[in-house]
């Protein structure tokens, strides 16, 4: 080869190689670029992971940007502890799904004076939400619990809830921990199509009103594969809910899995469709419970199935209480007017720490209708003494299979 040809090849090789390299890198850069455009790291908005600086404006800034993006934008909270004042993540958003990925810990302030609203963190009017990341919401409730007078007084000032979802649709909430809320851990209110799973909720047994998850006025909410240990109900299903499912939930300590309380307020909507299955309750005051107030307005609760449930040292494993009164005394002018019907208890087994393992205390004004007890095996913790079932005002009850204690319906 002569010199000029060699030189020409050399001169062409470089740009050619560079071109090849560009071709190879282009798709990678592109993906990176689009992802980067859609990820809003709260650190870039001024969040400081020192556990003290107020990072709420940074979270809000990242949310507001993400909320205006199409596709699947993501708010990203990296590892670290961030102090966050009360905050509303408000929609509607532009994207198909907004992701909030929390790897770190969000820590609530201790000072109650900083809370003007009902809750600490709220997700509102969002269609399409994924809240996840393995991180934690730390409500720092211990300092507030002594100020809660609600367990004693009917007209009490309630403390802030940790996380509230209001008018949220098509959401998944998974792989997160809620610790030591001041009041309830989570409220799901007027939502539909909500999936919660792999949620850990933790507060001490003696912390007042630290309910795990309360659901109200919502449709198609499913909670599964979660651990809830609190000072109040693990899950409670309030008025106006339809098609709620609770499965593979480990509950305890706490007050158990409850429907209610129902009939406290005028204008409450009916409850219909609840399936609780494959749950384990450990050391709770109640297992599966339906509670309604006396002197209540008229409403109904129907089509409940409680099945495949293990009770490990539970005080009241199966209980319907239509004289619910958490205070010293309640208005008992007339009986509860909440009509309960089609309630099935199937394959419920384990140990009761009180002698009455099955208690169906229904309203004499509107008796419970179509209650089924099938394959029940509940023993009193003192094995020499048999467990008992006690019923009042149940009509159309059926029992089948082995039912221990012997059915009272
Ligand atoms: C959310 O669910 C509703 C039905 O509850 C449906 O009409 C709507 O299209 C869903 N939105 C998305 C983004 O999937
Ligand atoms: C609830 O579930 C039942 C039975 O699966 C279904 O027929 C009904 O349409 C559902 N209702 C709502 C509001 O999702
Ligand atoms: C409960 O879980 C077991 C084992 O995972 C499964 O075989 C069973 O079908 C479940 N029961 C219900 C009602 O889903």
């Amino acid at each position: 080869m002569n010199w000029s040809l060699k030189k020409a090849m050399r001169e062409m090789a470089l740009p050619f190689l560079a071109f090849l390299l560009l071709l190879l890198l282009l798709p990678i850069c592109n993906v990176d670029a689009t992802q980067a455009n859609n990820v809003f790291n709260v650190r870039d908005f001024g969040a400081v992971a020192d556990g003290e600086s107020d990072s709420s404006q940074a979270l809000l800034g990242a949310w507001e940007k993400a909320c205006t993006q199409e596709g699947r934008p993501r708010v990203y909270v990296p590892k670290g502890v961030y102090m966050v004042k009360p905050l509303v993540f408000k929609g509607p958003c532009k994207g198909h799904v907004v992701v909030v990925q929390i790897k770190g810990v969000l820590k609530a302030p201790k000072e109650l004076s900083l809370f003007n609203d009902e809750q600490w963190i709220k997700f509102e009017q969002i269609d399409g939400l994924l809240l996840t990341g393995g991180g934690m919401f730390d409500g720092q409730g211990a300092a507030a619990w002594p100020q809660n007078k609600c367990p004693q007084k009917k007209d009490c000032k309630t403390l802030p809830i940790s996380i509230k979802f209001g008018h949220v649709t098509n959401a998944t909430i998974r792989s997160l921990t809620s610790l030591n809320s001041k009041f309830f851990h989570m409220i799901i209110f007027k939502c539909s199509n909500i999936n919660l799973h792999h949620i850990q909720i933790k507060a001490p047994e003696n912390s007042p009103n630290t309910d795990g998850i309360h659901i109200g006025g919502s449709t198609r909410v499913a909670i599964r594969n979660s651990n809830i240990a609190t000072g109040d109900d693990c899950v409670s299903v309030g008025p106006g809910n339809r098609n709620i499912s609770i499965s593979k939930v480990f509950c305890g300590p706490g007050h158990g899995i409850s429907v209610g309380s129902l009939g406290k307020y005028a204008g409450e909507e009916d409850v219909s469709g609840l399936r609780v299955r494959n749950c384990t309750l450990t050391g709770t005051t109640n297992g599966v419970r339906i509670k309604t107030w006396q002197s209540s307005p008229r409403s109904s609760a129907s089509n409940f199935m409680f099945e495949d449930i293990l009770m490990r040292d539970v005080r009241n494993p199966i209980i319907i209480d239509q004289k619910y009164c958490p205070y010293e005394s309640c208005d008992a002018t007339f009986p509860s007017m909440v009509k309960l019907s089609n309630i099935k208890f199937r394959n419920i087994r384990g140990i009761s720490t009180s002698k009455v393992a099955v208690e169906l205390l229904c309203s004499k004004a509107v008796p419970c209708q179509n209650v089924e007890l099938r394959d029940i095996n509940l023993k009193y913790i003192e094995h020499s003494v048999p467990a008992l079932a006690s019923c009042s005002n149940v009509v159309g009850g059926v029992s089948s299979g082995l039912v221990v204690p012997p059915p009272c319906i």
Side-chain angles (χ1 to χ4, degrees):
M1 252 188 280
N2 66 34
W3 178 85
S4 65
L5 190 59
K6 264 194 205 158
K7 186 183 171 210
M9 277 178 75
R10 244 198 338 261
E11 274 176 358
M12 299 233 349
L14 233 121
F16 182 68
L17 275 176
F19 177 68
L20 259 183
L21 209 70
L22 199 73
L23 271 185
L24 278 171
L25 286 177
L26 211 59
I28 302 170
C29 293
N30 235 341
V31 168
D32 257 10
T34 52
Q35 275 184 356
N37 281 340
N38 259 321
V39 177
F40 302 93
N41 186 332
V42 296
R43 294 253 185 111
D44 299 335
F45 290 79
V48 184
D50 62 1
E52 281 174 28
S53 311
D54 176 10
S55 291
S56 38
Q57 288 312 306
L59 265 71
L60 207 56
W63 169 262
E64 277 166 2
K65 274 278 196 256
C67 190
T68 61
Q69 302 293 305
E70 294 187 344
R72 202 173 190 274
R74 172 155 57 106
V75 172
Y76 177 53
V77 180
K79 283 220 159 95
V81 182
Y82 305 84
M83 204 281 280
V84 172
K85 289 187 183 164
L87 185 61
V88 181
F89 293 109
K90 200 170 171 353
C93 296
K94 223 170 168 187
H96 179 62
V97 177
V98 186
V99 181
V100 176
Q101 182 186 21
I102 300 172
K103 280 199 172 172
V105 177
L106 305 188
K107 208 168 86 172
K110 285 187 180 153
E111 305 78 19
L112 287 176
S113 59
L114 293 171
F115 294 82
N116 299 317
D117 232 330
E118 192 193 359
Q119 74 284 318
W120 171 33
I121 291 177
K122 185 173 186 180
F123 294 87
E124 189 173 49
Q125 285 178 36
I126 303 161
D127 180 36
L129 172 72
L130 170 59
L131 176 60
T132 186
M136 183 191 279
F137 293 83
D138 182 355
Q140 297 221 93
W145 296 330
Q147 301 187 48
N148 179 359
K149 302 289 178 247
C150 293
Q152 296 97 44
K153 265 181 29 190
K154 199 171 179 181
D155 303 306
C156 59
K157 188 180 177 328
T158 59
L159 298 180
I161 294 151
S162 267
I163 311 161
K164 180 165 179 174
F165 300 91
H167 303 94
V168 172
T169 52
N170 308 314
T172 295
I173 299 142
R174 64 166 152 86
S175 307
L176 288 168
T177 298
S178 177
L179 179 72
N180 295 339
S181 56
K182 291 176 168 56
F183 205 60
F184 290 17
H185 283 265
M186 283 187 203
I187 288 194
I188 296 169
F189 185 69
K190 295 217 185 280
C191 295
S192 66
N193 297 340
I194 310 287
N195 270 296
L196 294 105
H197 61 97
H198 297 95
I199 301 294
Q200 315 290 322
I201 293 180
K202 221 166 131 60
E205 187 168 8
N206 61 358
S207 57
N209 304 119
T210 52
D211 297 55
I213 304 172
H214 177 79
I215 310 165
S218 296
T219 304
R220 292 182 299 275
V221 176
I223 304 172
R224 61 186 162 88
N225 295 83
S226 294
N227 285 294
I228 306 177
T230 73
D232 211 304
D233 291 338
C234 286
V235 180
S236 57
V237 177
N241 287 305
R242 288 182 297 172
N243 290 8
I244 308 298
S245 149
I246 301 166
S247 58
K248 294 192 179 161
V249 167
F250 289 80
C251 164
H255 295 182
I257 295 173
S258 295
V259 176
S261 58
L262 304 178
K264 190 174 185 183
Y265 304 105
E268 283 183 6
E269 287 181 75
D270 297 343
V271 184
S272 79
L274 166 68
R275 204 162 167 208
V276 179
R277 62 200 153 105
N278 260 344
C279 293
T280 301
L281 294 106
T282 307
T284 51
T285 51
N286 306 286
V288 289
R289 168 168 68 157
I290 303 171
K291 47 180 174 176
T292 80
W293 296 75
Q294 296 184 88
S295 305
S296 66
R298 209 173 267 279
S299 70
S300 85
S302 58
N303 301 329
F304 297 168
M305 164 84 89
F306 301 94
E307 61 179 334
D308 295 344
I309 296 172
L310 178 62
M311 304 286 178
R312 296 162 67 184
D313 297 350
V314 170
R315 198 192 302 159
N316 307 301
I318 295 177
I319 178 166
I320 293 178
D321 178 6
Q322 294 212 263
K323 290 186 173 177
Y324 178 65
C325 179
Y327 315 120
E328 293 251 300
S329 69
C330 300
D331 178 6
T333 318
F334 58 94
S336 179
M337 297 301 281
V338 180
K339 170 90 185 168
L340 305 182
S341 56
N342 299 331
I343 319 283
K344 296 182 165 76
F345 299 98
R346 291 182 180 170
N347 188 26
I348 299 184
R349 63 213 184 275
I351 304 292
S352 172
T353 63
S354 78
K355 226 187 307 183
V356 180
V358 176
E359 179 159 30
L360 309 177
L361 178 59
C362 295
S363 169
K364 68 169 184 256
V366 283
C368 295
Q369 203 154 22
N370 301 336
V371 178
E372 181 190 274
L373 292 169
R374 182 200 284 191
D375 302 323
I376 306 293
N377 192 357
L378 293 165
K379 302 233 162 74
Y380 183 41
I381 194 163
E382 288 181 31
H383 286 280
S384 54
V385 182
L388 299 174
S390 157
C391 299
S392 48
N393 306 309
V394 178
V395 298
V398 290
S399 74
S400 61
L402 174 76
V403 176
V404 177
C408 50
I409 52 178

